[in-house]
Amino acid sequence: NMNLHSSCNAFWDGESVNFYRGSAQCRNTGEISAVFDHEWGHGLDDNDVTPGISEPSGEGIADIYAAIRLNDSCVGRGFWKGRKCDAAGDACLECTGVRDIDYRKMQSKR
């Protein structure tokens, strides 16, 4: 489902992937391959032999699916307009996506 009436997010609802419109802060999530891969990863996790392998949220395994398919630790590159990601106050050095799963690419590791 595309262009839902909100922005800066996407989600797996147990049956389908759902994407929000773009805004002044972020791009349309349905146009970002890693966001699709991440949300599809939630679906894979829910429906594999060991559902919910990374409970409670499944964010870790969903990020891994996206990173492996695209060979990029920056999950959702280009998600943010005009800024880089931030992980609990630890700024990303180059990633404009939702987060960078390579801790060596964070400000604190400089």
Side-chain angles (χ1 to χ4, degrees):
N1 300 309
M2 296 287 295
N3 296 316
L4 298 179
H5 296 286
S6 194
S7 63
C8 301
N9 207 350
F11 64 96
W12 164 257
D13 66 8
E15 294 182 13
S16 63
V17 289
N18 302 275
F19 304 99
Y20 292 131
R21 297 175 178 178
S23 72
Q25 293 81 28
C26 65
R27 287 183 39 216
N28 182 316
T29 55
E31 297 175 351
I32 304 170
S33 57
V35 173
F36 175 84
D37 292 337
H38 171 93
E39 298 307 332
W40 189 252
H42 286 297
L44 292 172
D45 184 36
D46 284 352
N47 293 287
D48 64 10
V49 175
T50 310
I53 194 169
S54 63
E55 289 295 337
S57 69
E59 293 303 308
I61 195 70
D63 282 353
I64 289 169
Y65 282 122
I68 288 173
R69 192 183 83 78
L70 297 170
N71 194 31
D72 190 355
S73 66
C74 177
V75 178
R77 187 175 296 283
F79 176 86
W80 296 113
K81 292 180 178 176
R83 74 176 185 92
K84 296 181 178 84
C85 65
D86 184 284
D90 192 3
C92 297
L93 297 175
E94 61 183 58
C95 177
T96 57
V98 177
R99 65 187 144 264
D100 199 321
I101 61 173
D102 184 344
Y103 74 94
R104 296 170 300 174
K105 296 179 179 178
M106 305 302 289
Q107 183 66 36
S108 65
K109 302 301 174 195
R110 251 189 167 177

